[in-house]
Amino acid sequence: MTGRAHGAVTRRGPLPTSPYDIAVVGAGVVGTAIARSLARHPHLRVALVEAQDDVGEGSSKANTAILHTGFDATPGTLEARLVREGSRLLAAYAAASGIPVEPVGALLVAWDEEQLAALPRLAEKAERNDCPDTRLIGPEELYDREPRLGPGALGALHVPGESIICPWTTTLAYATQAVRNGVDLHLNARVEQVSHPDGTHHLTTSRGTLLTRWLVNAAGLHADTLDRALGHDDFTVTPRRGQLLVFDKFARDLVRHILLPVPTALGKGVLVAPTVYGNVLLGPTAEDLDDKRATGSTADGLEGLRDKGHRILPGLLDEEVTAVYAGLRAATEHEDYRISAHPEQAYVTVGGIRSTGLTASLAIAAHVRDLLADTGLDLGPATQLEPVRMPNLGESFPRPYQRPELIAADPEYGTLVCHCERVTRGEIRDALTGTIPPAGLDGLRRRTRARAGRCQGFYCGAAVRELFERARPAAQPEKVRP
């Protein structure tokens, strides 16, 4: 217990006028992890600034939700080290915080002789990345492990350490812990200009100007824009769209592992993976675009996924699709993360964080904190953060409606609102009164799974909206230190 006052959560109104010690721009999984790390130092006054109306609204909400081992990272790169370290850190954090993780393992499947010949090299790369437990398996064992796999697979690389995780809860957990330990979270504050005229950063945002002595750029798809505004030209973000299909829970028994293709220069390729919510994912595509807002799906993209899915797991295409979504990854012209310190500007860039950013997030945060300390920021003494316990959204762990002792203490946990996903009034109430309440129904869905099931809110939508609207007038007025 730190005894430190909660930070503020604001979505409107003017920003504080007095300078912060440090501001983190971008409240995705990486930015929130950095803010959480800085919250360990009560000597610092920290702001987390986000353009959208909620945390995790960008790439962090639309990924494949895999906790990677880093077996296939380029050995010796910063990404390889941080993914390796971050995987262990996040697994431990998830267990302590109630974030659902399932260690299902992965199979890197070879469908032709060229791919089969590549597997030993991938096993060697895994060894160099400190993942020594990978193993080459032949077609007989492969089909024993995945009996519904499409015909013609020649073998696979088994990677037992790969897991699936809830990305929504991870980002929210970091942000919640940061705010509870003194970080001010300013939402709807898009950074439009930045200057550093007098030893202080002036961030011109859509809600006014915010001043800060030190600045961390974790702006994701827009990290290159902010970097150039401060005079740097180290990388260019090319948004890489990944479209995905989400199949109904009836498909879950079709697959036991994460089924990976042999990777290409464009990424890890199209996979089939179970989710902690009980669904099955097919995707993503990999389309380099010019528009950083192009999160729509396309008929060609989805048809291409279906073609690939039919080869990987033919029975999957007979199941119902409950959702389609697309996310943009912050690809750059470089193979590695672009994390660098600029001491003369009291500034750290955290750019080019692609699909591995979820796994590496805690290690990235520790690395950034060390860079800040090495370049002159007086962190002051470190304290232990108050633990956080998040609501469970995973199907493999007891949900509130399955816990008689919880229902006996509070009957709201026994009253279902969303029947598809088994979400109760108690869970919705808790989300709406949480440290960082949702700004809309999509944010509520990511906190509870309400409206995320096979009917997509057709049955429960009105009831969920009524609960949401009823909670809004009761919200406390925003307060923030000047």
Side-chain angles (χ1 to χ4, degrees), residues 58-402:
S59 301
S60 300
K61 73 176 183 182
N63 55 47
T64 49
I66 294 175
L67 180 56
H68 295 288
T69 58
F71 78 95
D72 58 347
T74 302
T77 59
L78 179 63
E79 180 180 17
R81 176 171 72 82
L82 296 181
V83 170
R84 183 169 62 248
E85 294 172 3
S87 181
R88 300 187 185 107
L89 290 171
L90 182 49
Y93 181 81
S97 304
I99 299 167
V101 173
E102 292 184 49
V104 294
L107 293 168
L108 198 72
V109 181
W111 295 96
D112 58 39
E113 293 293 343
E114 183 179 356
Q115 293 177 5
L116 188 66
L119 294 184
R121 294 194 298 274
L122 288 165
E124 181 186 355
K125 179 186 278 189
E127 182 85 24
R128 293 168 63 194
N129 282 321
D130 197 25
C131 299
D133 55 350
T134 61
R135 187 169 62 90
L136 296 170
I137 63 174
E140 183 176 354
E141 181 177 348
L142 173 59
Y143 281 97
D144 283 343
R145 287 181 170 274
E146 289 291 350
R148 292 182 173 85
L149 194 69
L154 303 181
L157 180 68
H158 181 217
V159 189
E162 298 279 294
S163 302
I164 53 177
I165 188 171
C166 176
W168 304 334
T169 311
T170 303
T171 304
L172 184 62
Y174 293 162
T176 298
Q177 206 169 22
V179 169
R180 288 182 182 175
N181 288 273
V183 173
D184 288 341
L185 171 61
H186 299 302
L187 300 161
N188 289 321
R190 181 180 302 277
V191 176
E192 297 167 344
Q193 293 181 0
V194 60
S195 60
H196 190 237
D198 52 6
T200 300
H201 292 280
H202 294 241
L203 304 182
T204 303
T205 81
S206 50
R207 289 177 50 196
T209 299
L210 184 138
L211 305 177
T212 180
R213 291 173 48 236
W214 288 76
L215 178 63
V216 175
N217 171 8
L221 292 165
H222 303 280
D224 58 339
T225 303
L226 185 55
D227 208 43
R228 287 193 175 93
L230 286 165
H232 307 286
D233 191 16
D234 296 335
F235 62 96
T236 297
V237 172
T238 299
R240 182 168 293 162
R241 180 167 60 190
Q243 301 181 51
L244 295 106
L245 293 167
V246 183
F247 287 85
D248 191 38
K249 290 180 174 59
F250 288 123
R252 180 61 182 84
D253 290 340
L254 295 175
V255 61
R256 300 171 182 174
H257 304 72
I258 303 164
L259 301 179
L260 299 170
V262 177
T264 69
L266 277 178
K268 298 180 185 298
V270 173
L271 56 82
V272 173
T275 75
V276 294
Y277 319 117
N279 303 96
V280 177
L281 289 181
L282 171 62
T285 58
E287 311 155 56
D288 285 346
L289 307 173
D290 296 323
D291 187 354
K292 294 181 179 180
R293 300 167 299 176
T295 56
S297 300
T298 67
D300 288 346
L302 299 181
E303 187 58 35
L305 289 180
R306 288 181 174 277
D307 288 343
K308 290 182 172 64
H310 185 266
R311 182 180 190 185
I312 299 167
L313 205 67
L316 186 62
L317 277 300
D318 295 328
E319 302 295 335
E320 295 289 332
V321 173
T322 60
V324 173
Y325 68 92
L328 299 175
R329 289 160 276 175
T332 73
E333 68 272 37
H334 306 281
E335 286 190 11
D336 205 356
Y337 292 164
R338 310 308 294 170
I339 303 177
S340 55
H342 304 279
E344 71 286 355
Q345 291 179 303
Y347 168 60
V348 173
T349 306
V350 187
I353 311 299
R354 296 165 301 218
S355 58
T356 54
L358 170 62
T359 299
S361 53
L362 290 175
I364 292 172
H367 180 63
V368 169
R369 189 184 65 233
D370 291 345
L371 284 178
L372 289 166
D374 291 345
T375 51
L377 175 63
D378 178 12
L379 295 173
T383 61
Q384 291 296 318
L385 296 176
E386 278 191 57
V388 65
R389 190 72 186 174
M390 304 303 292
N392 167 49
L393 301 187
E395 283 292 287
S396 293
F397 307 88
R399 300 276 303 286
Y401 78 93
Q402 298 170 313

